[in-house]
Amino acid sequence: MSETAPKPRMRAPARRAKITEAALKIFAGKGYHAASLGEIAAAAGVARTVLYDHFPSKRVLLLAVMQEQNAELVEYVGSRITGSGSPQERMRSTIDAYFSFAESRPLARKLLFDRTDEDDPEIRTVRQGIRESRTRTVTALLAGDIRSVGADPGEPVAEAMVELIIAGLDGVAQWWERHPQVPRAVLVEGAMRLLWNGLGHPC
């Protein structure tokens, strides 16, 4: 009689990744209050006790997912900001990178930018901290370009303008969700014309 080999035990990092992936889908789809840890554990294929080994509460899990997704977004877009090419080419590439992220990671975009109804002071504080950190990081990455138009990247208004760009691009991404038939290239061109001309450069 043959014996079935025991199923290999999943390593902790892999279990954690499955949990955060499931949590992203459920938090983005249902919101914080409607989601349950039991539902997330089931979607991840782990016992609820295993989930608690990694995340002691639903709040901690949400914050971890937000921070992970924000780090991926900043890395994804930041590599285009600091890439090769002229300022115009890098701006076009950066715009395309954000729309590409929104297209390929719609749940991450939704969790980072759309979910503001958690009604939890700690979550609101961390969410605001993530937003401000993202803006400061992008401002630092754009420091050379900001100086090239005669502005000081260390001044508060520089961060305000970067916030305007981020919010504007995400507004376009939200519009795109309602009009998915519009090609990404068309949106990139439209945003590029507005942003580049706004900096005083002809497209």
Side-chain angles (χ1 to χ4, degrees):
M1 182 177 179
S2 62
E3 294 184 0
T4 303
K7 187 176 180 180
R9 181 178 174 82
M10 188 182 299
R11 293 182 180 275
R15 287 199 304 272
R16 188 184 192 282
K18 287 186 71 67
I19 292 168
T20 56
E21 181 182 1
L24 171 61
K25 292 178 181 177
I26 292 172
F27 283 141
K30 301 180 66 172
Y32 175 70
H33 289 299
S36 72
L37 289 180
E39 180 182 18
I40 293 170
V46 301
R48 186 164 176 161
T49 53
V50 171
L51 187 151
Y52 279 121
D53 288 340
H54 295 272
F55 303 100
S57 69
K58 185 168 72 168
R59 179 192 290 117
V60 170
L61 176 55
L62 173 66
L63 298 182
V65 173
M66 286 197 302
Q67 288 165 344
E68 285 183 5
Q69 296 305 314
N70 183 66
E72 289 189 18
L73 169 61
V74 170
E75 180 180 4
Y76 195 90
V77 175
S79 63
R80 305 292 186 92
I81 295 174
T82 58
S84 60
S86 67
Q88 184 178 9
E89 290 168 340
R90 286 186 292 104
M91 176 172 281
R92 187 183 299 276
S93 180
T94 299
I95 292 169
D96 182 66
Y98 184 76
F99 292 152
S100 173
F101 183 89
E103 182 178 34
S104 62
R105 304 292 304 279
L107 295 178
R109 192 216 63 77
K110 186 172 186 177
L111 185 70
L112 289 173
F113 290 92
D114 294 0
R115 287 291 172 191
T116 58
D117 60 346
E118 290 94 1
D119 193 27
D120 182 299
E122 183 177 351
I123 293 174
R124 287 199 302 270
T125 297
V126 173
R127 182 181 284 281
Q128 184 61 30
I130 289 173
R131 179 174 182 169
E132 291 177 357
S133 174
R134 179 171 57 235
T135 300
R136 286 194 300 270
T137 299
V138 174
T139 302
L141 292 171
L142 286 170
D145 295 311
I146 292 172
R147 290 190 188 94
S148 72
V149 296
D152 182 355
E155 290 293 322
V157 69
E159 288 190 10
M161 294 305 99
V162 169
E163 180 75 21
L164 173 65
I165 293 171
I166 294 173
L169 290 179
D170 190 68
V172 175
Q174 293 183 45
W175 180 90
W176 195 18
E177 288 183 354
R178 303 190 300 274
H179 303 85
Q181 74 280 5
V182 178
R184 189 172 88 211
V186 172
L187 298 180
V188 171
E189 184 62 27
M192 181 65 188
R193 285 179 179 274
L194 177 62
L195 292 175
W196 192 251
N197 288 341
L199 291 174
H201 297 283
C203 230

